[in-house]
Amino acid sequence: MTTSDSEFNPDLLLAHKLPETHYTYNERDVAIYALGVGACNQDAVDSDELKFVYHENGQEQIQVLPTFASLLTLGSLSNGLDLPGFKYDPSLLLHGQQYIEIYRPLPSKASLINKVSLAGLQDKGKAAILEIETRSYEQGSDELLCMNRTTVFLRGAGGFSNSSKPFSYKNYPSNQGLAVKIPQTQPSAALLYRLSGDYNPLHSDPNVAKLAGFPRPILHGLCTLGFAIKAIIKCICKGDPSAVKTISGRFLATVFPGETLITEMWLQGLRVIYQTKVKERNKAVLSGYVDIRGLSSSL
Ligand SMILES: CCCCCCCCCCCCC/C=C/C(=O)SCCNC(=O)CCNC(=O)[C@H](O)C(C)(C)COP(=O)(O)OP(=O)(O)OC[C@H]1O[C@@H](n2cnc3c(N)ncnc32)[C@H](O)[C@@H]1OP(=O)(O)O
């Protein structure tokens, strides 16, 4: 069978080499991101959170939330998902999962080089799942700063392989998958979060949201993830963002800006298992785990 570039062709897609991308940020970006995931949302002088938005007590640098690392992948979208051998409807794309490894605390400003590759492709029949890995280095350094694996869930793009043996490819180990104060999102949450660089109109434009099958714009998955991990830093890590080593999350259902997020967490050794629910609908919207480096003795 011959296949043209305009059809879904897994071999052509997986053989494709993605170009390196660049991402530069500064302390203003770091503070806008922290506000976008609700830092100081409940209390403008919150002693655990002011350091993420302000040089508290004369600190030299604003501290960076570990989930800020997820923004670095935005630089990987230079060509969108316009890839050879890959056919899908962009309006039906949803963020499925995010996995982050942080090798050292993120600096408050940096110029980064991202090495991007395709880490997975699966045919789920009604949907295709594509995984993109982004390894970020500071410019001029060989030392890896962090790694993101972004999973996109492409509704309507499945069924490209033999249904009795659906296509499934992953280049990483399968073990990397997967009640506290109530952080409420503001009705304007997605409008603020988009200023961190994800301008997908699905999160701001009512007409685009309707085309994608939603009654109104939905919240960015990475914004929900930011709220959840910030709650874990506060409740388990005593406010220390550098305690976070690995973050894994799967987006289970959509969140609408203004809904109340409740994150439940369970500590198992050095792994925090968590689940985030929308209080108004009693619906689980995110679940996953966070691996931490250690626990402070004063816990
Ligand atoms: C040039 C390079 C480019 C690089 C680009 C890198 C950066 C990319 C950035 C990507 C950002 C995208 C834009 C952002 C958009 C958003 O933020 S959207 C908002 C956040 N996401 C959501 O709100 C999604 C919430 N989840 C859902 O609505 C549902 O879970 C679902 C995804 C629609 C799936 O539900 P459903 O259709 O009912 O699936 P199931 O029948 O339960 O399962 C089918 C199989 O799929 C697997 N699966 C289910 N959910 C997920 C998931 N979230 N992620 C991954 N896989 C999932 C499930 O296990 C089933 O598989 P099998 O068990 O093998 O059958």
Side-chain angles (χ1 to χ4, degrees), residues 17 23 29 78 82 95 156 160 208 220 294-295:
K17 297 277 172 276
Y23 189 87
D29 301 315
S78 53
D82 187 12
H95 198 156
F160 57 85
V208 172
H220 303 71
L295 287 174

Side-chain angles (χ1 to χ4, degrees), residues 16 18-19 21 70-83 90 92-98 116-118 122-134 148-155 168 193 198 200 202-203 214 218-224 249-255 283-286:
H16 181 67
L18 292 160
T21 63
S70 63
L71 293 189
L72 312 182
T73 62
L74 295 174
S76 307
L77 273 171
S78 53
N79 280 331
L81 288 174
D82 187 12
L83 305 168
L92 298 181
L93 177 154
L94 286 174
H95 198 156
Q97 297 185 150
Q98 190 74 18
V116 189
S117 58
L118 293 174
Q122 289 167 61
D123 185 350
K124 297 289 185 191
K126 61 182 175 180
I129 290 181
L130 184 69
E131 302 187 81
I132 300 133
E133 192 170 288
T134 307
N148 272 275
R149 203 173 294 122
T150 304
T151 304
V152 285
F153 192 94
L154 304 156
R155 293 174 290 163
S168 181
Y193 183 84
D198 185 345
N200 184 340
L202 176 62
H203 308 294
F214 301 109
I218 63 173
L219 193 60
H220 303 71
L222 291 179
C223 182
T224 308
R250 174 180 278 208
F251 304 110
L252 305 171
T254 43
V255 176
K283 177 132 188 109
V285 291
L286 168 67

